[in-house]
Amino acid sequence: MKLLVTGGAGFIGTNFIRHIRQEHPDWQMTNLDKLTYAGNLENLKEIQDQPGYRFVKGDIADRKIVDALLSGEYFAANSLRPNTRDLRPSIVVNFAAESHVDRSILDASPFIETNVKGTQVLLEGAKKHGVQRFIQVSTDEVYGSIDRGRFTEESTLSPSSPYSASKAAADLLCLAYFKTHHLPVVITRCTNNLGPYQFPEKLIPLAITNALEDKPIPIYGDGLNVRDWIFVDDHCKALDVVIQKGKPGEVYNVGGGNEKTNLDIIRKLLELLNKPQSLMQFVTDRPAHDRRYALDCARISTELGWKPAYSFEKALSATVDWYLKNEPWWRSIKSGEYARYYEEMYLKR
Ligand SMILES: NC(=O)c1ccc[n+]([C@@H]2O[C@H](COP(=O)([O-])OP(=O)(O)OC[C@H]3O[C@@H](n4cnc5c(N)ncnc54)[C@H](O)[C@@H]3O)[C@@H](O)[C@H]2O)c1
């Protein structure tokens, strides 16, 4: 297998690259990442010089670089191997995205550029160069909020934020390339991930790291919004199965089966860290904040035989352990540009 992984220096991409190195050491991987604020090459330090892996800094919306990579010409031009055509990727796994809802509310433009235009540029390159499988890593947020029951893959897309709208647009483009051009696209729609290497602007790493610094933990509205949580390793295993067995043109919901309110999670985290519950600080709710997400994941379990292995408790304690052991990683992020963003987002509310 020869994979072009995009956005591999971010949270899930990092975990995915590590998973593939471990499970399929013979698979070739090229990681194309623009290294936005969310991309961090530190995450892949142990892997960076391993044979079979290479990093390329670039934008998925840049037609030239995408074309050069998918044709194999990039490798020839950079003399990465004597016979370079053999590095031409046969599979694209597209993680690259602007991924934070709050940032999409401040400015949606980068979300359209990367999530919509970038995906279209990748699809076009994949069509032109005969890619055998295109995995679009999407999200449960494309369905919008549901009070009762669960969304199936056939449910209507009804995104609420500019982030989820841009992901829904990308999903529809993927399906259109399947129908119109028979490009073998497979879409996964996963619930909220937790685990190592998540940028500390997202709920769980923000709460863990603020608690460790004895800083208040901002909670939107009444804190009763419900999300289904999945350990990132389980998501990576699902993607591995989809690469090998997923049906072209199909969508697969991927969930952890762990519905929790934000309040449940923060209470549990504070308990685990032995910190006072008084660190919780309620702030003005996010506009159009979806109340509940829930997925029916019967298709991936019955058709592909995938099931999550981690309970929420096990996933949360593995995540907390990782942040405790990797303090320099998150401390270096929680300074500089990020500190200014944090103040703007939460402290001025
Ligand atoms: N985090 C979750 O809970 C979750 C759940 C479901 C689906 N997803 C999806 O999974 C994917 C990865 O999410 P994540 O949480 O790892 O995101 P992330 O923000 O941690 O990482 C995104 C990565 O993409 C890179 N990137 C951004 N724009 C790029 C561009 N134009 N060209 C190349 N690289 C670019 C960034 O540098 C970064 O390394 C996203 O597509 C997201 O929509 C995430």
Side-chain angles (χ1 to χ4, degrees):
M1 297 272 201
K2 291 164 204 156
L3 271 57
L4 175 64
V5 178
T6 69
F11 164 45
I12 306 173
T14 289
N15 283 282
F16 175 78
I17 288 173
R18 289 171 164 274
H19 166 86
I20 296 295
R21 291 312 296 167
Q22 177 94 21
E23 296 300 316
H24 310 287
D26 54 324
W27 288 13
Q28 295 278 331
M29 268 187 292
T30 301
N31 174 11
L32 172 66
D33 196 301
K34 188 178 171 184
L35 297 181
T36 66
Y37 76 95
N40 188 348
L41 284 182
E42 278 291 298
N43 303 356
L44 295 162
K45 231 172 29 199
E46 302 101 279
I47 290 173
Q48 67 187 13
D49 297 322
Q50 287 181 7
Y53 169 82
R54 64 211 63 78
F55 172 73
V56 176
K57 183 171 189 294
D59 189 336
I60 59 164
D62 176 350
R63 202 171 288 270
K64 258 199 196 143
I65 195 151
V66 167
D67 208 49
L69 283 168
L70 291 173
S71 66
E73 277 157 25
Y74 177 91
F75 305 105
N78 291 278
S79 326
L80 289 175
R81 283 271 175 88
N83 177 7
T84 51
R85 290 220 43 106
D86 69 350
L87 289 176
R88 198 156 69 96
S90 50
I91 294 170
V92 172
V93 188
N94 183 26
F95 292 96
E98 289 293 336
S99 69
H100 193 37
V101 175
D102 290 339
R103 289 184 190 251
S104 80
I105 294 167
L106 291 178
D107 179 8
S109 316
F111 289 74
I112 305 305
E113 266 306 300
T114 290
N115 303 3
V116 185
K117 184 179 166 209
T119 302
Q120 187 271 328
V121 168
L122 281 177
L123 287 164
E124 198 57 33
K127 168 172 82 85
K128 186 168 165 194
H129 299 292
V131 160
Q132 287 159 24
R133 190 147 297 203
F134 187 107
I135 313 293
Q136 174 68 4
V137 184
S138 188
T139 164
D140 60 352
E141 300 197 26
V142 295
Y143 298 116
S145 194
I146 188 164
D147 290 339
R148 279 181 305 281
R150 290 164 194 289
F151 290 119
T152 70
E153 289 85 351
E154 274 66 49
S155 299
T156 309
L157 304 191
S158 180
S160 305
S161 70
Y163 161 67
S164 51
S166 68
K167 292 294 289 186
D171 283 16
L172 295 178
L173 276 171
C174 288
L175 293 172
Y177 270 72
F178 171 73
K179 286 188 200 157
T180 309
H181 302 296
H182 311 292
L183 185 70
V185 170
V186 189
I187 298 174
T188 58
R189 294 190 182 133
C190 190
T191 58
N192 276 30
N193 286 222
L194 76 159
Y197 300 104
Q198 188 169 28
F199 195 85
E201 67 186 348
K202 305 279 169 68
L203 180 74
I204 290 183
L206 177 69
I208 296 172
T209 57
N210 274 20
L212 291 173
E213 294 179 299
D214 295 307
K215 286 188 181 157
I217 299 168
I219 299 176
Y220 279 135
D222 58 9
L224 296 179
N225 304 68
V226 174
R227 299 292 181 264
D228 172 35
W229 291 89
I230 183 172
F231 194 50
V232 66
D233 279 18
D234 279 330
H235 185 187
C236 294
K237 283 182 196 143
L239 290 167
D240 189 347
V241 170
V242 167
I243 288 171
Q244 299 189 61
K245 299 201 276 184
K247 193 171 134 207
E250 200 65 282
V251 176
Y252 296 95
N253 285 346
V254 180
N258 297 300
E259 279 189 45
K260 305 278 169 206
T261 66
N262 292 347
L263 264 187
D264 288 338
I265 290 174
I266 308 301
R267 284 199 184 116
K268 185 85 201 143
L269 274 176
L270 290 169
E271 248 172 65
L272 280 173
L273 292 165
N274 208 15
K275 295 286 179 178
Q277 301 284 322
S278 56
L279 282 179
M280 290 194 279
Q281 186 182 68
F282 291 89
V283 299
T284 313
D285 207 356
R286 166 194 282 168
H289 198 180
D290 286 330
R291 197 64 175 167
R292 174 173 175 260
Y293 296 140
L295 294 184
D296 178 332
C297 301
R299 178 176 289 164
I300 191 166
S301 71
T302 53
E303 292 179 17
L304 306 187
W306 172 88
K307 275 198 175 61
Y310 279 77
S311 66
F312 182 73
E313 287 65 30
K314 201 168 144 205
L316 195 66
S317 79
T319 305
V320 167
D321 277 356
W322 189 85
Y323 281 87
L324 285 170
K325 286 188 189 125
N326 291 277
E327 203 169 316
W329 183 89
W330 57 263
R331 278 206 188 276
S332 76
I333 292 172
K334 285 186 95 171
S335 57
E337 200 260 322
Y338 173 77
R340 282 190 292 282
Y341 161 79
Y342 183 80
E343 185 176 348
E344 188 67 32
M345 230 21 249
Y346 303 108
L347 302 184
K348 290 190 180 160
R349 294 172 90 95

